[in-house]
């Protein structure tokens, strides 16, 4: 038996690339050539490597010889070493493991020695390591009187009683299995897996192979480990050779089955067919299930909204603090160079050094407006008082365009007050498209960065997903949602600004943030919303969102909210956002003639008063004799602030007041003619017709005001009369006066109609004085009225024809017939009247230029 052990030692030495004399029973140190050598029973030497005899990939066994496969000799987890670029051969790893031979840790050699019992009547001839499969082939010879199966059973019983455990995994033991087939010992980059592919090849070439059923396969392979599943080849598959898949529970079980059963011939009695069937086994890399990815791809209705929510969360966490910071900087003017002390000093020094930077025009404008502010001093003080009071309502300053609302609030009432946010609704409302609207709103409050273009991209993605899935994914956000984000971030910034002045040592430091803001209204920022309800008839979404946001600021005591509007119906829009509240309102009208005259004179004298060279000389208002015409001109022009400033500039330019007012009237008439009376390309966008505007101009040219309801009764305003009048008021052609005759309450019913500007009354008179223009527009009006009456007569005639076909001429319809005949007669009378008027107008147009 010592010879057997020495033979085993020599074979193990082959495995560890040591050198030996190959003499059986020698006790000296082993010295082997570099290549692993094997000795056969006949003493013949042949080259044997990790890939079998002569690198053939097979291990040949002769008579009275057998092959064991020992598992758990090498760690499978180190297979990655075989793929490294510096690794040239499996022997490198063998040499590395050989360093542990003299250590306490059990080396593969020690494991192999211990696995072969000394009492077994076998002689070890060769050992071939299988690093990537974690085992080794042991070729042996045995006594002719013994069966190989008996040797396997004896060895397994010995290892069961004397377990050999590897150092790298003490929880398992080395197990021997008899190789029943013809193993293929390749060194390809095919690594073990739990899934085996079994191909059925005929034992005799040219004969058909028998495809084994699941039961024979189970009987052949169950001894090597737990089988999870046996999957035969689909019946409709044309792939040859036929095959089946075996799924083992563990990788080592699949390794043993592959190395022991590859090349095994299934005989007839085992179900292998008449000629027998050879089993060819190979590892089938189990496809990764990618169950998570597959689940994501097959559930887009859940995944896409979840991704949208994740994207929104990331955006909220990263960009919202940045946006809030920029909004605070926009409100507090942190990065405004004009508020820098160094810049102010340089500017003041430059102003003193030369007159180029004296900003004289600004001084002139301030001097002219001084008269206006003196007249409206009570309104300015009222607004200042409201700003230091606690009241959860809006402050509304209403007045026609050009009445100085913005200047009154921003330059006077809020003068010297910090932290004012001005939002102009005009660019937001006039923006075209959702992206442009969001960008305009963000620009007004300093909200950045803003990715308005992403809204269009996400809308396209959402539209494509909706067409595919039938439901929205939630990637795109509506304009409503985007505006809410902008206003929400602005509210956060305003609240932070309002609480900046709070200190821990204040006497009311124990108050909560809301209680503190309620107790200190003077600390709240002011939000000034200009041009509120500008073109509100086109789309009211922006104004609804602004009103709701303003209501949230007011009720939460975050900021004071002031609305500047030209629309007298503002209470309807604001009442939706803040119901059951009485708004604090200031109505601005035109200046009185005395204030208007003082404004113009102050504007003229401002430059002379500031010029050092004019000191001691008379002012323009003292030496200009043509200023005596100023009273008459102001009476015609009215007290609209923008018109008075225009008049003052023209007079300062050298024109007389009468000539200046004449130029202003002609310019206003030209604008009215182009915007309201002439047929242009944008006629389809108008809510009114030139004939409807002309009727108003004719009546207001002779009357300072006309009755609202009386105009609605006219034939021209029979259809959608109130809608047309509201559109004309938005266009500033007219002004609708609300309230009863003895009250000027803005919230009352419409009562009268006046010109949109005082100067328009003179412009209306100028337009109606043009006989050709009047004849042309009156002719169009007559033609429209004739057309309308003809349509009404045609309807009556059609109904009369229906009634005439009734059998027996029933007396019950006689009243209806009489009514229709009266309508036809009255309509014809109007048609005759309009025809005569049209003939007169045509004759006038033919005679005059």
């Amino acid at each position: 038996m010592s010879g057997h052990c020495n033979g085993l030692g020599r074979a193990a030495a082959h495995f560890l690339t040591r050198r030996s004399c190959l003499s059986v029973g020698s006790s000296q140190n082993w010295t082997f050539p570099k290549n692993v050598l094997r000795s056969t029973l006949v003493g013949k030497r042949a080259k044997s490597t990790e890939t079998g005899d002569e690198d053939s990939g097979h291990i040949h066994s002769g008579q009275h010889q057998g092959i064991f496969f020992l598992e758990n000799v090498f760690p499978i987890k180190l297979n990655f070493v075989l793929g490294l670029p510096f690794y040239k051969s499996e022997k490198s790893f063998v040499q590395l493991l050989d360093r542990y031979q003299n250590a306490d840790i059990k080396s593969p050699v020690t494991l192999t020695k211990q696995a072969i019992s000394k009492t077994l009547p076998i002689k070890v001839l060769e050992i071939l390591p299988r690093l990537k499969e974690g085992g080794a082939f042991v070729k042996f010879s045995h006594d002719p009187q013994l069966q190989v199966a008996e040797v396997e059973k004896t060895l397994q019983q010995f290892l069961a009683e004397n377990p050999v455990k590897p150092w790298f995994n003490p929880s398992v033991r080395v197990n021997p299995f008899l190789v029943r087939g013809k193993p293929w010992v390749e060194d390809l980059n095919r690594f073990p897996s739990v899934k085996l592919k079994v191909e059925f090849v005929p034992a005799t070439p040219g004969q058909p192979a028998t495809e084994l059923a699941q039961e024979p396969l189970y009987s052949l392979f169950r001894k090597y480990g737990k089988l999870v599943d046996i999957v035969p080849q689909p019946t409709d598959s044309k792939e040859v050779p036929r095959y089946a898949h075996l799924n083992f529970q563990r990788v080592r079980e699949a390794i043993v089955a592959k190395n022991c059963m590859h090349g095994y011939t299934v005989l007839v009695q085992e179900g292998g067919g008449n000629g027998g069937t050879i089993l060819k086994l190979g590892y089938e890399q189990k496809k990764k299930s990618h169950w998570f990815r597959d689940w994501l791809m097959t559930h887009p209705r859940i995944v896409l909204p979840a991704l949208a929510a994740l994207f929104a969360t990331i955006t909220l966490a990263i960009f919202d603090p940045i946006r809030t910071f920029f909004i605070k900087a926009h409100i507090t003017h942190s990065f405004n160079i004009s508020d820098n002390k160094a810049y102010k000093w340089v500017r003041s020094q430059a102003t003193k050094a030369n007159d180029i930077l004296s900003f004289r025009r600004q001084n002139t404008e301030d001097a002219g407006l001084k008269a206006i502010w003196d007249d409206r001093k009570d309104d300015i003080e009222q607004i200042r008082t409201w700003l230091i009071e606690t009241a959860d309502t809006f402050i509304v300053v209403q007045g026609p365009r050009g009445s100085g609302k913005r200047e009154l609030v921003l330059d006077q009432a809020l003068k010297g007050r910090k932290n004012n946010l001005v939002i102009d609704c005009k660019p937001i409302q006039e923006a075209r498209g959702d992206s442009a609207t969001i960008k305009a709103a963000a620009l007004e409050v300093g909200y950045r960065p803003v990715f308005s273009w992403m809204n269009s991209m996400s809308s396209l993605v959402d539209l494509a997903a909706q067409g595919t899935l039938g439901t929205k994914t939630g990637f795109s956000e509506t304009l409503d949602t985007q505006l809410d984000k902008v206003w929400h971030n602005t509210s956060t910034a305003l609240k932070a600004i309002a609480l900046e002045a709070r200190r821990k040592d204040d006497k009311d430091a124990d108050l909560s943030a809301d209680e503190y803001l309620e107790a200190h209204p003077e600390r709240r920022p002011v939000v000034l919303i200009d041009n509120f309800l500008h073109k509100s008839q086109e789309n009211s979404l922006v104004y609804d969102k602004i009103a709701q946001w303003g209501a949230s600021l007011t009720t939460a005591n975050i900021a004071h909210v002031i609305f500047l509007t030209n629309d007298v119906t503002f209470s309807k829009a604001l009442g939706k956002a803040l119901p059951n509240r009485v708004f604090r309102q200031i109505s601005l009208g035109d200046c009185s003639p005395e204030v208007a005259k003082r404004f113009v004179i102050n504007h003229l004298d401002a430059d002379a008063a500031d010029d050092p060279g004019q000191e001691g000389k008379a002012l323009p208002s003292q030496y200009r004799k043509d200023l005596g015409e100023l009273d008459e001109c102001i009476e015609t022009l009215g007290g609209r602030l923008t018109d008075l400033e225009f008049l003052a500039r023209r007079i300062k330019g050298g024109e007389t007041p009468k000539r200046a007012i004449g130029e202003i009237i002609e310019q206003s008439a030209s604008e009215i003619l182009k915007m309201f009376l002439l047929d242009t390309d944008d006629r389809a966008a108008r809510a009114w017709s030139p004939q409807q505007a002309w009727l108003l101009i004719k009546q207001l040219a002779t009357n300072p005001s006309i009755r609202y309801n009386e105009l609605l009764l006219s034939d021209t305003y029979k259809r959608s009369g109130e809608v047309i009048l509201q559109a004309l008021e938005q266009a500033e052609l007219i002004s609708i006066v609300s309230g009863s005759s003895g009250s000027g309450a803005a919230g009352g019913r419409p009562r009268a109609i006046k010109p949109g500007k005082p100067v328009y009354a003179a412009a209306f008179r100028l337009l109606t004085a043009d006989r050709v223009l009047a004849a042309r527009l009156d002719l169009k009006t007559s033609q429209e009225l004739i057309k309308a009456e003809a349509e009404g007569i045609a309807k009556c005639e059609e109904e009369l024809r229906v009634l005439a076909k009734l059998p027996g001429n029933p007396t019950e319809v006689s009243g209806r017939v009489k009514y229709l005949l009266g309508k036809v007669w009255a309509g014809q009378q109007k048609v005759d009247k309009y025809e005569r008027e049209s003939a007169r107008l045509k004759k006038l147009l033919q005679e005059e230029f």
Side-chain angles (χ1 to χ4, degrees), residues 728-746:
L728 289 171
E729 184 184 26
Q730 289 290 334
E732 295 187 351
L733 178 67
I734 60 173
S735 177
I736 298 176
V737 181
S738 300
S740 59
S741 58
S743 172

Side-chain angles (χ1 to χ4, degrees), residues 432-616:
R432 293 292 176 261
D434 292 352
S435 297
T437 302
I438 296 167
K439 187 175 181 180
L443 186 62
E444 290 298 317
V445 298
Y447 179 93
R448 61 176 64 89
V450 54
F451 308 111
S452 56
W453 54 271
M454 288 189 64
N455 192 49
S456 302
M457 295 291 293
S458 57
S459 298
L460 294 176
V461 174
D462 206 5
L463 183 62
Q466 185 177 6
T468 304
L469 307 176
T471 182
K472 289 187 177 181
T473 61
F475 269 113
S476 63
E477 294 181 331
T478 62
L479 176 62
D480 191 341
T481 307
Q482 293 276 19
L483 289 176
D484 280 340
K485 285 185 176 181
V486 175
W487 305 138
H488 176 73
N489 279 80
T490 309
S491 300
T492 304
L494 288 169
K495 187 171 184 179
I497 292 172
L499 296 173
E500 277 183 350
R502 192 177 186 186
R503 298 291 181 268
K504 294 183 179 180
D505 54 351
D506 291 342
K507 61 180 180 180
D508 50 4
D510 57 332
L511 297 178
S512 64
D514 294 337
E515 293 173 344
Y516 177 83
L517 292 175
E518 185 177 1
H520 296 276
E522 73 283 355
R523 300 285 177 84
R524 303 176 202 166
V526 176
V527 178
L528 182 63
I529 301 175
D530 195 10
N531 287 317
F532 185 68
L533 298 180
H534 171 75
K535 293 185 178 181
S536 59
Q537 70 278 5
E538 296 180 1
N539 185 10
S540 62
L541 174 63
V542 173
Y543 296 116
D544 291 342
K545 301 306 297 182
I546 291 177
Q548 293 172 7
W549 174 61
S552 66
L553 294 178
T554 302
T555 54
N557 297 316
I558 294 176
H560 299 284
V561 182
I562 303 176
F563 288 92
L564 308 181
T565 180
N566 308 329
D567 200 325
V568 295
T569 62
F570 65 87
S571 58
K572 182 178 180 181
L574 296 180
K576 296 179 183 178
L578 204 61
N580 304 323
R581 295 288 196 282
V582 178
F583 304 134
R584 293 179 167 180
Q585 176 187 346
I586 291 178
S587 297
L588 296 182
D590 296 329
C591 300
S592 61
E594 295 80 8
V595 175
K597 182 177 180 180
R598 195 162 70 249
F599 171 82
V600 175
I601 292 175
N602 289 347
H603 207 286
L604 294 175
D605 294 343
D607 285 345
D610 292 340
D611 190 354
Q614 296 292 331
E615 188 175 355

Side-chain angles (χ1 to χ4, degrees), residues 361-381:
R361 178 180 174 183
Q362 182 66 35
N363 294 336
T364 303
E365 294 179 355
D366 292 343
L369 290 171
K370 188 176 184 303
I372 305 296
W373 306 145
D374 290 341
D375 183 57
R376 297 176 176 176
K377 187 176 181 180
D378 293 341
D379 295 335
I380 295 171
E381 292 298 329

Side-chain angles (χ1 to χ4, degrees), residues 400-403 589-592 596 633-644 661 664-665 668 672 700-701 703-704 732-735 754-765:
R401 186 174 301 176
S403 58
D590 296 329
C591 300
S592 61
C633 294
I634 289 178
E635 184 179 354
T636 303
L637 185 64
R640 191 64 53 89
L641 191 59
T642 51
D643 294 337
L644 292 173
I661 197 64
I664 294 174
I665 294 173
S668 299
I672 294 170
L700 290 174
N703 301 291
E732 295 187 351
L733 178 67
I734 60 173
S735 177
K754 291 183 177 182
K757 293 181 180 181
V759 73
Y760 277 1
F764 292 163
R765 290 193 292 269

Side-chain angles (χ1 to χ4, degrees), residues 210-427:
T210 301
E211 182 179 358
L212 270 67
Q214 296 186 38
E215 291 184 14
L217 289 174
Y218 183 85
S219 299
L220 291 171
F221 288 94
R222 179 61 182 86
K223 65 180 69 176
Y224 301 111
K226 177 72 171 61
L227 282 167
V228 178
D229 194 10
I230 300 175
V231 183
Q233 184 179 0
T235 56
D236 58 347
S237 174
K238 297 182 181 180
E239 184 178 351
V240 290
R242 303 291 292 180
Y243 64 87
H245 285 124
L246 305 179
N247 292 325
F248 284 87
Q249 192 171 25
R250 296 182 179 87
V251 176
R252 290 190 178 275
E253 296 170 351
I255 292 172
V256 173
K258 184 257 184 186
N259 286 300
C260 293
M261 294 298 293
H262 180 86
Y264 177 74
T265 301
V266 183
L267 303 178
V268 177
Q269 57 270 24
E270 295 176 319
N274 294 329
T277 300
I278 299 176
L279 303 181
K280 300 291 185 180
L281 280 73
Y283 297 117
E284 188 81 2
Q285 293 300 323
K286 190 175 181 180
K287 294 181 180 179
K288 295 183 179 180
S289 59
H290 299 295
W291 63 269
F292 184 71
R293 184 190 65 187
D294 295 341
W295 186 89
L296 293 178
M297 299 298 293
T298 55
H299 294 79
R301 296 188 179 184
I302 301 175
V303 174
L304 292 179
L307 289 178
L310 179 62
F311 177 76
T313 303
I314 295 174
T315 304
L316 184 68
I318 297 176
F319 290 107
D320 271 20
I322 300 174
R323 289 162 175 163
T324 303
F325 169 78
F326 279 112
I327 293 173
K328 289 175 63 178
H330 177 79
I331 298 172
T332 58
H333 305 286
S334 300
F335 304 123
N336 193 348
I337 190 173
S338 61
D339 294 333
N340 187 273
K341 295 182 178 180
Y343 174 80
K344 289 181 178 180
W345 181 85
V346 173
R347 179 177 173 180
S348 62
Q349 296 301 317
T351 303
K352 294 176 182 179
N354 56 74
D355 293 333
I356 298 177
L357 301 177
S358 62
F359 306 97
R360 187 167 298 178
R361 178 180 174 183
Q362 182 66 35
N363 294 336
T364 303
E365 294 179 355
D366 292 343
L369 290 171
K370 188 176 184 303
I372 305 296
W373 306 145
D374 290 341
D375 183 57
R376 297 176 176 176
K377 187 176 181 180
D378 293 341
D379 295 335
I380 295 171
E381 292 298 329
Q382 182 64 71
I383 295 174
R384 290 176 176 173
T385 302
W386 286 340
L387 294 178
I388 59 174
E389 294 178 356
T390 299
D392 52 350
T393 187
F394 297 137
I395 300 175
V396 183
V397 180
Q398 188 274 330
R401 186 174 301 176
S403 58
K405 301 183 295 295
R406 184 186 180 105
E407 293 79 4
L408 175 75
V409 177
L410 192 59
D411 298 339
Q412 299 300 316
L414 299 180
K415 187 176 182 180
R417 188 183 181 101
K418 297 181 179 179
N419 304 330
N420 301 321
L421 175 61
V422 181
I423 299 175
D424 191 354
C425 299
K426 185 176 181 180

